[in-house]
Amino acid sequence: MNEIRIFCPATIANVSCGFDVLGLCLDNVGDEMVIRKTGNGKVTISRIEGQDLPLDPEKNVAGVAALAMLKALGSVQGFDIDIYKKIKPGSGIGSSAASAAGAVFGINKLLGEPLSVKELIPFAMEGEELASGALHADNVAPALLGGFSLVRSYEPLDVVKLHTPGALYASIIHPQIEVKTADARSVLKHSVPLKKAIQQWGNVGGLVSGLYTEDYDLIARSLHDGIIEPLRSLLIPRFMEVKEAALTAGALGSGISGSGPSIFALSKGEDTAKKVAEAMAGVYADSDVAFDIHISGINPEGVRVLS
Ligand code: HSE
């Protein structure tokens, strides 16, 4: 195999209670990427459609992830990458993670899979670090593994793929403003009152348990974030109104997708997810906030080969 075309999915990081440790993979929102072997021993990016992003591999998340992986493998194989961006950078649904995860996944396939998909995560994280200034895995892990991922530990890296209930759907609204992850991280406090920490880790445990037991009420009770959301929601137009509209329309929970500005809601069943999306859109429709909307199931497999 000398060339591969792949789908690189969008992801929702944090999932309310799990800042930097929880993420989920979307099914029908994502980029495409074509990667081909070359004989020049270099990583090159020939084409990026859909967004104005650097072609220099050392300044591009896909290039940085690819270079990190090839260096670790001691490989001198050259690769050329085309990226067809559909996920907008700064949207909060894992644009940089999709590119970083796609690059390492595709190159691994073309090299005959010397690494397991889990072993690709640290290299994709290096791409993420270029974009956000922080080594976080809660987008790249679900992009690579599919479903829900838990980063149990960063040092050493220990990522666990969680069970995903089949009826879970995501509704996402993306107000057309850009919030850089680095900026959204700079508004955070570096210490957490014990009382808030107790609530938060109770919710993380509750959410993980609810996913495994497919207990949608427990999932709903656990989708809360008392630490990050109060600070970051100030960066997002009409956040509380959108969230309340989603909950009133029947969502199990709603919060900031990754570092925002996208707002996500999780629902039981696609019909409810559609109603929730309409309700969220209704808040922006009577304002001057332009927006995109997505409704998606949870993608069980992550990055996938198209041809
Ligand atoms: N956990 C990261 C953050 C995700 O919230 O900053 C960024 O998409």
Side-chain angles (χ1 to χ4, degrees):
M1 188 166 42
N2 288 318
E3 182 174 307
I4 194 168
R5 186 177 194 98
I6 51 179
F7 173 72
C8 314
T11 44
I12 296 175
N14 302 336
V15 201
S16 288
C17 50
F19 178 69
D20 274 2
V21 301
L22 281 173
L24 66 85
C25 188
L26 296 171
D27 210 20
N28 59 10
V29 191
D31 299 339
E32 287 186 21
M33 199 177 250
V34 175
I35 306 176
R36 61 190 73 81
K37 284 184 181 169
T38 63
N40 63 12
K42 294 181 181 163
V43 171
T44 50
I45 302 172
S46 289
R47 173 194 292 246
I48 301 176
E49 282 186 12
Q51 292 296 327
D52 188 16
L53 292 167
L55 291 170
D56 178 347
E58 290 186 10
K59 295 187 177 141
N60 181 294
V61 294
V64 167
L67 289 166
M69 175 183 171
L70 292 168
K71 187 174 171 199
L73 287 174
S75 170
V76 291
Q77 175 65 52
F79 291 94
D80 185 47
I81 303 174
D82 296 339
I83 307 172
Y84 300 89
K85 286 300 294 176
K86 298 199 178 131
I87 316 170
K88 292 179 184 148
S91 58
I93 52 171
S95 180
S96 51
S99 295
V104 293
F105 179 92
I107 288 174
N108 194 45
K109 282 272 182 208
L110 291 173
L111 289 175
E113 301 188 66
L115 299 173
S116 69
V117 177
K118 233 181 207 183
E119 285 170 334
L120 299 175
I121 294 172
F123 306 116
M125 285 170 71
E126 292 203 30
E128 271 286 56
E129 191 182 23
L130 176 76
S132 70
L135 266 177
H136 63 93
D138 50 339
N139 290 106
V140 292
L144 283 164
L145 301 175
F148 278 79
S149 294
L150 170 73
V151 186
R152 189 206 59 80
S153 157
Y154 275 92
E155 290 178 15
L157 188 66
D158 183 2
V159 176
V160 185
K161 182 172 176 178
L162 306 174
H163 177 75
T164 302
L168 217 48
Y169 279 80
S171 315
I172 299 128
I173 191 157
H174 173 209
Q176 304 291 290
I177 55 166
E178 187 180 344
V179 174
K180 290 201 166 71
T181 297
D183 295 338
R185 292 181 85 88
S186 72
V187 303
L188 302 179
K189 294 189 179 139
H190 288 268
S191 58
V192 176
L194 186 59
K195 197 173 168 192
K196 285 195 176 184
I198 291 166
Q199 284 169 342
Q200 201 89 346
W201 59 56
N203 282 326
V204 173
L207 180 54
V208 172
S209 176
L211 293 173
Y212 275 93
T213 53
E214 307 208 356
D215 180 338
Y216 293 90
D217 290 334
L218 177 56
I219 292 171
R221 294 201 301 282
S222 307
L223 285 170
H224 296 290
D225 170 14
I227 296 173
I228 309 295
E229 185 178 291
L231 298 169
R232 283 186 170 170
S233 57
L234 305 174
L235 305 173
I236 304 173
R238 302 179 76 173
F239 171 80
M240 277 316 294
E241 284 171 75
V242 175
K243 175 173 173 159
E244 273 160 25
L247 295 174
T248 305
L252 300 167
S254 173
I256 302 170
S257 178
S259 53
S262 288
I263 303 168
F264 80 96
L266 290 180
S267 299
K268 183 179 180 187
E270 193 173 11
D271 289 346
T272 306
K274 283 182 186 158
K275 285 185 197 129
V276 166
E278 274 169 33
M280 295 166 97
V283 175
Y284 286 150
D286 64 7
S287 73
D288 55 5
V289 181
F291 60 89
D292 283 342
I293 198 118
H294 308 286
I295 299 161
S296 175
I298 313 300
N299 171 348
E301 59 176 332
V303 182
R304 65 175 175 266
V305 179
L306 297 173
S307 61

